[in-house]
Amino acid sequence: MHIVAAPDKFRGTATAAEVADAIAQAAAQAGASADAVPMADGGEGTLEVVGGANRSSIVTGPLGDPVEAPWRLHRHTAVIEMARASGLALVGGAEGNDPLGATTYGTGELIDAAVERGARRVLVGVGGSATTDGGLGALRALYPTQRLRGVEMAVACDVRTRFVDAAEVFGPQKGATATQVELLRRRLERLCGVYAETYGVAVGDLEGSGAAGGLAGGLACVGAELCNGFELLAEEVDLYGRIEQADLVVTGEGALDATSLEGKVVGGVAEMAAAAGVPVLAVVGRADGTAAPGIGELVSLSERFGTEAAMGDTAGLVTRVVLDYLGA
């Protein structure tokens, strides 16, 4: 038997690579082969999917302090996680954030560094941001934007939210009060007009333009293509081709809910496996009862082992579940 292990991260307990390795360990113990393919949807973990960072740059953090941001450059393709430069985790979460002042300037500096070092193609993962600046900081760091001519840029969006709606949908997660959410919304509305006048792009009409507090929309103004993050990364690693060679696909994530099936990893993997005629086992931290088309068997670690154990030994329990499934 050959297994493809294509999980997302279990946020806060295990990275996608750790879960993929746990699945591969179970396969080895059961006498099967395994292809470990940790996945992401454009948010945290994007770098891991394509092989990990091999560069780093000192850039401006979300609140102005310098941060060291890892990124990847290989064969003229750069991969950047905006969360490494402008992420909420860099400021200690919502409680440490300044939702009105947080800037994407550092992400722009990372893109600039990649282009300066020879990147002709730049993939930007945009999950986990501290910002709702509409990408204005990044565009300021990239000025003059003529330097981007001839550079193909793709934004791996993990949401479909539109530009102005980013304030209401994501602002509270970044520490914004109700009053601040309204101020952020007005700022994004004004930026729609500025971007239309400056770049000729109706950014408010673009699906996914609200990703990372509007960074996706800002980058679209300078030629970036907004892509479904999972699909973009799956293509980068030839996930479908690898699934076609499998007898079983094992995927998973920390929490399975309705959004998991809308362009996220578990739903995307299940869809690919169904198209290839390969059965799917999904192992998740917890599940909310959402029907999961294409998944042959779904195991919730919290339901089977209890929440404390599921949080404390995620990778070990994943290995146990896969071994049980394989009858080993």
Side-chain angles (χ1 to χ4, degrees):
M1 174 176 279
H2 180 62
I3 298 170
V4 166
D8 198 352
K9 63 186 172 298
F10 283 50
R11 190 185 299 275
T13 63
T15 67
E18 289 169 342
V19 178
D21 286 345
I23 295 165
Q25 288 177 28
Q29 291 178 42
S33 60
D35 182 10
V37 196
M39 290 301 301
D41 55 19
E44 300 98 323
T46 296
L47 275 172
E48 193 174 65
V49 171
V50 296
N54 58 11
R55 300 282 193 281
S56 68
S57 299
I58 303 297
V59 299
T60 305
L63 300 185
D65 297 323
V67 298
E68 183 174 359
W71 55 286
R72 182 174 180 82
L73 180 63
H74 180 66
R75 294 180 179 176
H76 301 290
T77 293
V79 182
I80 288 167
E81 279 187 32
M82 76 84 63
R84 305 295 187 104
S86 313
L88 190 60
L90 296 175
V91 298
E95 290 183 358
N97 196 26
D98 175 0
L100 296 180
T103 177
T104 54
Y105 194 90
T107 299
E109 290 177 309
L110 269 190
I111 296 170
D112 182 57
V115 173
E116 286 291 321
R117 296 189 196 181
R120 308 312 298 163
R121 182 169 178 257
V122 181
L123 308 184
V124 185
V126 293
S129 72
T131 58
T132 315
D133 73 347
L136 185 61
L139 295 183
R140 285 175 172 161
L142 289 166
Y143 185 84
T145 57
Q146 286 84 352
R147 74 185 73 186
L148 299 176
R149 287 177 181 170
V151 176
E152 177 189 346
M153 195 184 317
V155 179
C157 300
D158 60 347
V159 297
R160 299 175 181 173
T161 307
R162 295 182 188 270
F163 193 73
V164 173
D165 294 335
E168 184 176 356
V169 174
F170 304 120
Q173 299 173 15
K174 303 173 188 184
T177 65
T179 299
Q180 289 173 325
V181 165
E182 182 57 29
L183 291 172
L184 291 169
R185 182 179 185 87
R186 291 177 187 173
R187 182 163 71 185
L188 294 175
E189 287 173 343
R190 288 194 299 272
L191 277 178
C192 281
V194 171
Y195 287 166
E197 182 177 347
T198 305
Y199 302 104
V201 176
V203 68
D205 297 335
L206 301 177
E207 187 175 89
S209 57
L215 172 65
L219 294 179
C221 290
V222 291
E225 180 182 3
L226 306 189
C227 307
N228 174 285
F230 168 77
E231 292 176 0
L232 178 64
L233 294 172
E235 184 176 347
E236 285 295 306
V237 299
D238 188 27
L239 180 60
Y240 185 75
R242 294 159 87 162
I243 286 175
E244 283 187 307
Q245 308 302 313
D247 301 298
L248 172 69
V249 175
V250 183
T251 188
E253 66 174 333
L256 181 77
D257 56 29
T259 66
S260 304
L261 310 177
E262 298 178 357
K264 302 286 188 176
V265 170
V266 171
V269 169
E271 186 176 335
M272 284 188 173
V278 180
V280 175
L281 166 65
V283 185
V284 300
R286 58 180 175 81
D288 71 355
T290 298
I295 295 175
E297 185 167 339
L298 172 66
V299 177
S300 163
L301 297 181
S302 294
E303 184 175 331
R304 179 169 293 192
F305 302 105
T307 300
E308 184 176 349
M311 296 287 288
D313 185 23
T314 302
L317 295 183
V318 168
T319 298
R320 283 180 58 181
V321 168
V322 177
L323 280 171
D324 288 347
Y325 182 90
L326 297 175

